[in-house]
Amino acid sequence: MREKELDAPAGLPAEGLIDRTTELAVIKQRVVEGLNEESAQRQHRLGKLTARERIERLLDPGSFTELEMLRRHRATDFGMDAKRPYTDGVLTGWGTVDGRKVFVYAHDFGIFGGSLGEAHAAKIHKVMDLAQSAGAPLIGLNDGAGARIQEGVMALAGYGGIFRRNVAASGVIPQISVMLGPCAGGAAYSPALTDFVLMVRRTASMYVTGPDVIKAVTGEEIGLEGLGGADVHAESGQATFVHDDEDDAFETLRWLLSYLPSNNREFPPAQAPADPVDRSCDRLLDIVPNSPNQPYDVRQVIEEIVDHGDFLELQQAWAGNVVIGLARIGGEVVGMVANQPMVLAGVLDIEASQKAARFIRFCDSFNIPLVTLVDVPGFLPGVDQERNGIIRNGAKLLYAYCEATVPRIQVLMRKAYGGAYIVMDSRSIGTDLSLAWPSNEVAVMGAEAATNVIHRRAIQNADDEQDTRRRLIEEYQRTLMHPYYGAERGLVDDVIDPRETRSAIHTGLQMLRSKRVTLPERKHGNSPL
Ligand code: HXC
């Protein structure tokens, strides 16, 4: 039986140091061997790895140092005293990924369904505390059934301790959650407090109340995948990445870590690029159409600008009208934020504002400069948007940019109208460098709408309405719809040849490397939530 295999040896300890050492080796060997064959096979049958296999796949070979492998629970009710397996269903410790230190915990579904009791929680608390003191990322490999039912309030309090630590570590060390099984209740809430959530299709799910409870309360019938599977959460914005299998998730996790500093006192790791920083971005002239209303994929713009075209896009399946992600320019890590004209014409709406705002705050916490590519027709008009809080949610984005003290560079590519121009890191809200392409048009609104407002009477009174409207639209365009109006007034620092975008950003980033901002003392701001 599984419990016996992982249980302490019966009887008195062996005598003498040699015998005791042999006994220790036997105990540790049993713990490392872990589950009985049947439990491991169950994991494999479901397309899942065991907790120990996961750690081995993720970390550099031989780098894992385990903490508290001999920990056992002290619960006695419901026959728990007869089942006291070592580890208590979670492996914790530290190791390296590509030579850099990380802390990790991994639920062992084979022990009480990976559920969290007092001892299990205490192990996670300890590894979280160590990660924060040592200033290294924390990675949770989640495959657990939430609060351990047999341990009642002790299990709930265990989760409270995790949530509190998640929040204390937020903005101090990167926290990453990998969802590898059914993660109920607290096992879903802790990941929600972390910076990135990776989910595996078919095996992983996240939900607060499970299908049985939902059926009992609301009568709705749904399976785990439909309720909180990877694709559901890719679209809800809960999952940063979704994957077909665990190895794919670990590969993306390693790629993600390559962009992140270990903590908020470090700069993100730079890499000497083989891609010349002064490379001319000729393709940009073909990618971005002349007409302000013609769609294109802004990801192609990003890939043309960044080193080797390598761009790690986050939350791809949610709020596609804004694109966010990590890349390097001249070897330096940057956070890219871009309107996506291919989706909803690139308007800002509630979800796009939420998506960009949280990313900006992440980058700001971890010293990652922000590059904002602007091509935005405005905020999405609509009763639905207004009633559901576009003001409050758009304000999140505004707030995030205004409080960011990392280097910030804005590139005005094509159009930038109204409040959306201001919000997309304009000079007036504190960007450090505003660069515009000659195709850029910044205005309160598009030419036609603006002319209809300011010249309504003149057009109505004109003998030839059509002709007068056309003439006035042209006048508006000549006066305002180009970057020189802003450049003359200092709101645009330079109008650049689009092909020089990469080198201009790089030059700006070099200049801003030593940027320092001193903030007045306060407990914290009050961002609209
Ligand atoms: C203790 C549990 C458990 C739990 C499962 N097990 N859930 N033990 N506490 N919460 C045990 C089972 O008894 C079983 O033990 C083993 O784990 C595997 O469970 P199965 O049900 O056989 O596995 P499977 O069919 O794959 O289903 C997995 C599951 C399901 C979907 C996770 O077990 C389930 O729905 N469990 C309940 C989830 C839940 O409601 N948790 C509380 C959330 S509330 P044996 O000995 O038979 O192998 C919460 C509070 C904090 O977390 C909220 C903060 C906001």
Side-chain angles (χ1 to χ4, degrees):
M1 289 299 291
R2 179 188 67 224
E3 293 79 15
K4 288 241 169 59
E5 279 187 26
L6 292 188
D7 220 338
L12 292 171
E15 279 179 23
L17 184 56
I18 297 282
D19 290 343
R20 284 198 171 204
T21 307
T22 309
E23 183 187 73
L24 170 69
V26 170
I27 295 170
K28 286 200 165 179
Q29 183 60 27
R30 273 193 218 152
V31 181
V32 170
E33 280 167 8
L35 315 165
N36 64 14
E37 218 19 54
E38 197 189 311
S39 291
Q41 278 170 5
R42 183 182 187 266
Q43 289 286 98
H44 294 158
R45 247 195 334 273
L46 294 170
K48 305 201 290 184
L49 298 169
T50 65
R52 211 165 281 280
E53 287 167 345
R54 285 169 176 157
I55 288 176
E56 275 166 19
R57 297 271 178 113
L58 172 64
L59 301 184
D60 297 336
S63 70
F64 183 52
T65 301
E66 189 167 351
L67 267 172
E68 298 197 275
M69 63 154 47
L70 303 179
R71 185 102 182 205
R72 305 162 79 197
H73 72 74
R74 294 179 295 185
T76 52
D77 296 323
F78 306 103
M80 288 290 280
D81 45 355
K83 305 181 204 168
R84 298 180 61 231
Y86 284 124
T87 75
D88 200 38
V90 65
L91 308 185
T92 58
W94 69 91
T96 57
V97 172
D98 295 330
R100 297 172 67 214
K101 183 171 51 194
V102 296
F103 288 78
V104 62
Y105 68 84
H107 296 302
D108 183 342
F109 193 84
I111 296 177
F112 306 123
S115 61
L116 177 140
E118 180 192 19
H120 181 124
K123 286 182 70 174
I124 297 178
H125 297 169
K126 190 182 279 181
V127 80
M128 292 178 85
D129 291 342
L130 279 173
Q132 192 169 339
S133 334
L138 176 77
I139 300 167
L141 304 179
N142 296 279
D143 187 3
R148 187 174 297 162
I149 295 163
Q150 298 91 325
E151 296 197 37
V153 69
M154 295 311 291
L156 298 177
Y159 267 123
I162 292 178
F163 302 156
R164 181 160 59 86
R165 286 171 174 82
N166 282 137
V167 173
S170 180
V172 180
I173 51 169
Q175 299 181 80
I176 303 167
S177 304
V178 192
M179 314 307 289
L180 302 161
C183 295
Y189 260 115
S190 168
L193 293 168
T194 62
D195 300 303
F196 302 98
V197 175
L198 294 82
M199 287 188 82
V200 176
R201 290 195 176 91
R202 288 176 295 282
T203 50
S205 53
M206 292 173 78
Y207 51 91
V208 175
T209 46
D212 293 345
V213 179
I214 290 181
K215 188 172 176 201
V217 176
T218 70
E220 293 164 294
E221 287 194 41
I222 187 131
L224 287 183
E225 183 83 355
L227 179 64
D231 288 312
V232 168
H233 283 310
E235 288 177 20
S236 77
Q238 185 58 61
T240 321
F241 304 101
V242 292
H243 307 278
D244 285 329
D245 57 41
E246 299 194 4
D247 280 331
D248 186 38
F250 295 148
E251 200 180 313
T252 300
L253 176 48
R254 281 189 287 268
W255 189 14
L256 173 63
L257 285 168
S258 76
Y259 289 117
L260 307 183
S262 294
N263 59 63
N264 63 334
R265 288 171 181 255
E266 291 182 7
F267 286 106
Q271 281 175 6
D275 195 357
V277 285
D278 55 358
R279 165 172 61 75
S280 177
C281 299
D282 295 343
R283 283 185 61 233
L284 294 179
L285 299 184
D286 299 325
I287 296 168
V288 180
N290 284 334
S291 158
N293 301 324
Q294 209 174 317
Y296 62 92
D297 186 353
V298 80
R299 282 176 295 211
Q300 291 181 7
V301 174
I302 296 171
E303 284 163 9
E304 178 65 7
I305 292 172
V306 303
D307 292 354
H308 308 290
D310 288 338
F311 175 54
L312 179 59
E313 185 178 352
L314 315 178
Q315 294 175 310
Q316 201 171 15
W318 179 54
N321 38 335
V322 71
V323 170
I324 55 170
L326 296 160
R328 284 192 168 81
I329 295 178
E332 305 283 341
V333 176
V334 287
M336 304 292 301
V337 181
N339 307 115
Q340 172 59 291
M342 210 172 72
V343 179
L344 291 172
V347 285
L348 287 177
D349 60 3
I350 290 173
E351 294 192 334
S353 303
Q354 293 170 348
K355 175 176 168 179
R358 185 144 201 259
F359 178 64
I360 290 161
R361 300 193 86 196
F362 174 80
C363 291
D364 190 41
S365 303
F366 290 103
N367 310 313
I368 298 175
L370 288 162
V371 175
T372 303
L373 305 181
V374 186
D375 190 346
V376 64
F379 277 97
L380 179 65
V383 176
D384 182 56
Q385 287 286 308
E386 296 291 343
R387 289 196 180 160
N388 286 302
I390 184 64
I391 299 175
R392 176 166 45 87
N393 286 285
K396 287 178 188 167
L397 179 54
L398 192 50
Y399 196 104
Y401 268 125
C402 288
E403 74 171 351
T405 57
V406 285
R408 290 155 52 183
I409 298 180
Q410 180 199 45
V411 180
L412 295 160
M413 298 191 298
R414 224 171 34 163
K415 61 197 174 301
Y417 297 154
Y421 155 73
I422 310 173
V423 168
M424 291 302 291
D425 206 15
S426 61
R427 181 155 266 305
S428 58
I429 65 164
T431 203
D432 294 299
L433 203 56
S434 175
L435 305 170
W437 289 4
S439 50
N440 171 245
E441 303 176 341
V442 177
V444 176
M445 59 183 79
E448 215 161 309
T451 306
N452 286 340
V453 174
I454 58 178
H455 297 302
R456 193 180 37 181
R457 227 167 264 129
I459 293 169
Q460 274 168 1
N461 296 338
D463 294 338
D464 185 340
E465 258 190 52
Q466 291 287 47
D467 199 47
T468 308
R469 179 180 283 113
R470 189 188 45 74
R471 190 175 47 73
L472 291 169
I473 287 176
E474 275 173 17
E475 184 195 324
Y476 181 88
Q477 285 170 329
R478 246 194 334 273
T479 313
L480 282 179
M481 304 292 272
H482 50 72
Y484 305 104
Y485 190 88
E488 282 173 25
R489 287 156 180 81
L491 291 173
V492 165
D493 295 298
D494 199 9
V495 182
I496 60 167
D497 179 334
R499 289 169 293 191
E500 292 167 6
T501 306
R502 173 176 162 81
S503 56
I505 294 173
H506 177 252
T507 306
L509 289 173
Q510 293 295 103
M511 177 272 286
L512 290 164
R513 266 182 75 84
S514 51
K515 179 178 175 185
R516 294 284 177 275
V517 176
T518 308
L519 299 170
E521 199 178 319
R522 66 175 169 182
K523 192 168 174 190
H524 55 71
N526 188 14
S527 174
L529 295 174

